[in-house]
């Protein structure tokens, strides 16, 4: 069964909210978000490559990865501010191509009717920064990435 991804970006505020259910236990969904080897298998669209160069998913840890294609790779990095196993990840995110435009993301993991629901709230520095991120096709990458995560969790 395919689960729908709900992405909301209301006018006038620099937020993106995403809600997604998975037919898997919280521990498996959380691990897929914190284990760099698993993350590399699902994050982003199918046609993109993901090279995780650093991913210390602990409170105070840092992360960096590159995503894209052979001829165009784009870097992203940040800091994990709070990591509570099977419950919460709060982290910053920054596109290497837009220095000093730091966003913050809060993702909760909860059990709902025997499934795992993730709720992510991303805060961008400005509405314009958020709109530029959306214009890159971010929604497509999120939806397809979660479809890939469904496939990974089923194995």
């Amino acid at each position: 069964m395919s689960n729908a991804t709900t992405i909301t970006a209301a006018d006038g505020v620099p937020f993106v909210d995403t809600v997604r259910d998975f037919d898997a236990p919280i521990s498996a969904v959380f691990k897929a978000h914190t284990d760099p080897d698993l993350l590399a298998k699902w994050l982003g669209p199918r046609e993109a490559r993901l090279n995780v160069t650093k991913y210390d998913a602990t409170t105070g840890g840092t992360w960096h990865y590159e995503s894209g294609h052979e001829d165009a790779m784009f870097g992203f990095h940040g800091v994990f501010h709070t990591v509570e196993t099977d419950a919460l990840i709060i982290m910053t995110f920054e596109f290497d191509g837009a220095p000093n435009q730091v966003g913050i993301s809060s993702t909760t993991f909860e059990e709902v009717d025997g499934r795992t629901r993730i709720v992510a709230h991303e805060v961008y520095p400005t509405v314009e920064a958020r709109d530029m991120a959306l214009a890159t096709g971010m929604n497509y990458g999120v939806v397809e990435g979660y479809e890939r995560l469904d496939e990974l969790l089923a194995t």
Side-chain angles (χ1 to χ4, degrees), residues 62-90:
T62 60
W63 64 274
H64 183 270
Y65 60 70
E66 298 174 328
S67 179
H69 310 280
E70 297 299 325
D71 56 342
M73 294 295 286
F74 302 96
F76 301 86
H77 67 277
V79 175
F80 290 97
H81 285 266
T82 304
V83 179
E84 295 177 6
T85 302
D86 297 343
L88 175 67
I89 299 171
I90 300 173

Side-chain angles (χ1 to χ4, degrees), residues 8 13-18 90-94 101-107 120-131 133 138:
T8 306
V13 292
F15 309 140
V16 175
D17 293 299
T18 304
I90 300 173
M91 60 194 275
T92 61
F93 57 91
E94 186 172 354
Q101 295 292 309
V102 181
I104 189 163
S105 172
S106 173
T107 303
H121 178 68
E122 295 180 339
V123 181
Y124 288 79
T126 63
V127 172
E128 293 77 19
R130 188 242 5 223
D131 291 347
M138 179 185 89

Side-chain angles (χ1 to χ4, degrees), residues 108-124:
T108 59
F109 299 76
E110 59 186 286
E111 194 225 319
V112 177
D113 299 327
R115 305 164 83 200
T116 299
R117 176 168 294 157
I118 62 168
V119 177
H121 178 68
E122 295 180 339
V123 181
Y124 288 79

Side-chain angles (χ1 to χ4, degrees), residues 2-3 10 13 17 25-26 30 37 39 42 62 69 73 76 97 102-103 115 130-131 135 137 140 143 146 150:
S2 180
N3 294 305
V13 292
D17 293 299
I26 287 177
F30 186 85
D37 295 329
L39 189 80
W42 69 266
T62 60
H69 310 280
M73 294 295 286
F76 301 86
V102 181
R115 305 164 83 200
R130 188 242 5 223
D131 291 347
Y140 170 76
V143 170
Y146 285 155
D150 276 333

Side-chain angles (χ1 to χ4, degrees), residues 14-41:
F15 309 140
V16 175
D17 293 299
T18 304
V19 179
R20 178 63 147 76
D21 289 351
F22 294 91
D23 298 317
I26 287 177
S27 60
V29 177
F30 186 85
K31 184 176 180 182
H33 280 77
T34 56
D35 180 314
D37 295 329
L38 294 176
L39 189 80
K41 293 178 180 178

